[in-house]
Amino acid sequence: MKQYFNFSWCLMLCLAGFTYTANAQEIKVEATLDQTNIKLGDQTILRLKAHLPVNAHVDFPVLADTISSKVQIVEMGRTDTLSDQKNPGIKTISRQYTITSFDAGLHMIPSYAFGSKDGNLTTQAIPLEVAEVKVDTTKAIYDIKEPLAVSYSFMDWLRDNKKLIAFSVLGVLLIAALIWYLIKKRKNRPVKVEPAKPAVPLDIQVLEKLNTLKAEKLWEQGKIKEYHSELTDIIRDYLEKRYHVNALEQTSEEIFSGLRHLEIPEQQRNGLRQMLLLADLVKFAKASPLNNENEQSMENAIHFVMNTKPAPFTDHKVQNNNNEPV
């Protein structure tokens, strides 16, 4: 009984090995050259083929723009799939590459590995012979044939371009008619005089930007760096226009130094310092301010603008001795 069991087990192993070998042998791969002998700079076709069952699959090797240092790929052609007329269960997948070489001698096209579920299948290496082109250096370089002189008159040009000339003349006439119509219409159109819009004061513009930023609630959404960056950009722009300093390009300390001789209330200086230094900590030291510190920066910015805004311009008219405006 034991001998029968051992014999059955060996038989099953043999059959399994035979089945694996048969499946692996169902797929065949090959590499061929249309020409194995070419002249320097000429081209030939490298073909990679796989013969396999219809339901099987192989992975073609991936070729770059060169096969070796002496052989280059000029063009990657199409991939074709053909069925075997004698055996409908077998298909052939073919992929072609146009190759060339500019180095004379014998070059080897290496073997390529195709991937399958049963392992890699490799092709044979192929020799490619590249022959030099012999040049007779004793003769001078000359044209094969002298160029022919062909006469071409202005009438020939007119005859060849009569359609272009007709369309050009028609286009010029249409453009001229359109220009004449627009000029005539413009002359007859009444001129509308729009009253000049009063300029919005600088402090009003800046306060509107601050209120808009406040309404966006950036720091409440965790966008603390964006909040302080936009806040300081608004105030720096205000400082440039209000005090004519290059605040957008300066550091916070350079701004404080440039404003020290100007008449700015001490409370507003302290508020400006708090806002700019806190923004520097957030942007460069990745600080996380408290909620009241974020709110304080906005309040300091609003108070700074409101307490340093330019005085409104008043047009004082000169009066005569009778208190009548002149």
Side-chain angles (χ1 to χ4, degrees), residues 40-86:
L40 196 73
D42 283 353
Q43 299 176 358
T44 185
I45 303 298
L46 168 64
R47 303 180 190 273
L48 300 181
K49 297 180 181 180
H51 309 279
L52 65 162
V54 174
N55 297 327
H57 173 76
V58 293
D59 294 322
F60 270 69
V62 179
L63 276 65
D65 54 355
T66 58
I67 291 179
S68 66
S69 60
K70 302 297 180 67
V71 181
Q72 295 84 36
I73 295 179
V74 178
E75 181 182 5
M76 178 184 293
R78 64 183 184 275
T79 301
D80 296 324
T81 302
L82 300 175
S83 298
D84 192 336
Q85 295 181 354
K86 297 181 180 179

Side-chain angles (χ1 to χ4, degrees), residues 26-178:
E26 287 180 349
I27 301 177
K28 296 181 180 179
V29 296
E30 63 175 326
T32 60
L33 285 173
D34 284 7
Q35 294 176 288
T36 56
N37 294 277
I38 61 173
K39 292 183 179 180
L40 196 73
D42 283 353
Q43 299 176 358
T44 185
I45 303 298
L46 168 64
R47 303 180 190 273
L48 300 181
K49 297 180 181 180
H51 309 279
L52 65 162
V54 174
N55 297 327
H57 173 76
V58 293
D59 294 322
F60 270 69
V62 179
L63 276 65
D65 54 355
T66 58
I67 291 179
S68 66
S69 60
K70 302 297 180 67
V71 181
Q72 295 84 36
I73 295 179
V74 178
E75 181 182 5
M76 178 184 293
R78 64 183 184 275
T79 301
D80 296 324
T81 302
L82 300 175
S83 298
D84 192 336
Q85 295 181 354
K86 297 181 180 179
N87 189 353
I90 300 297
K91 63 180 179 180
T92 299
I93 304 176
S94 174
R95 185 174 295 176
Q96 64 183 40
Y97 304 86
T98 302
I99 63 174
T100 187
S101 177
F102 297 95
D103 292 276
L106 180 63
H107 310 305
M108 294 301 297
I109 306 299
S111 62
Y112 291 105
F114 290 69
S116 71
K117 66 178 182 179
D118 296 322
N120 289 339
L121 303 171
T122 58
T123 63
Q124 295 291 331
I126 311 173
L128 174 64
E129 180 72 27
V130 181
E132 291 184 351
V133 178
K134 295 184 179 180
V135 179
D136 189 354
T137 58
T138 61
K139 295 182 180 179
I141 299 175
Y142 57 89
D143 291 333
I144 297 176
K145 195 172 185 179
E146 291 292 333
L148 298 176
V150 178
S151 60
Y152 193 73
S153 64
F154 179 70
M155 296 302 298
D156 294 330
W157 183 86
L158 289 178
R159 182 170 54 254
D160 294 340
N161 298 276
K162 56 185 177 182
K163 290 184 178 180
L164 176 62
I165 295 172
F167 283 118
S168 299
V169 172
L170 181 60
V172 170
L173 293 177
L174 290 175
I175 293 173
L178 179 61

Side-chain angles (χ1 to χ4, degrees), residues 237-306:
D237 183 63
Y238 171 74
L239 291 174
E240 283 206 355
K241 296 176 180 176
R242 175 67 179 88
Y243 296 108
H244 307 289
V245 295
N246 193 18
L248 288 172
E249 303 296 332
Q250 292 177 339
T251 63
S252 298
E253 291 300 329
E254 291 172 341
I255 292 175
F256 300 146
S257 177
L259 298 177
R260 68 178 184 276
H261 299 301
L262 300 177
E263 295 181 1
I264 299 176
E266 189 64 25
Q267 184 178 359
Q268 308 312 320
R269 288 181 184 273
N270 294 335
L272 178 65
R273 181 178 293 275
Q274 178 274 336
M275 179 193 60
L276 293 179
L277 292 181
L278 181 61
D280 289 343
L281 289 174
V282 172
K283 290 187 287 186
F284 304 115
K286 297 182 179 179
S288 297
L290 300 176
N291 294 345
N292 61 332
E293 291 178 320
N294 294 324
E295 294 174 352
Q296 187 64 44
S297 291
M298 176 61 73
E299 295 301 323
N300 287 340
I302 294 174
H303 290 160
F304 182 84
V305 175
M306 294 181 65

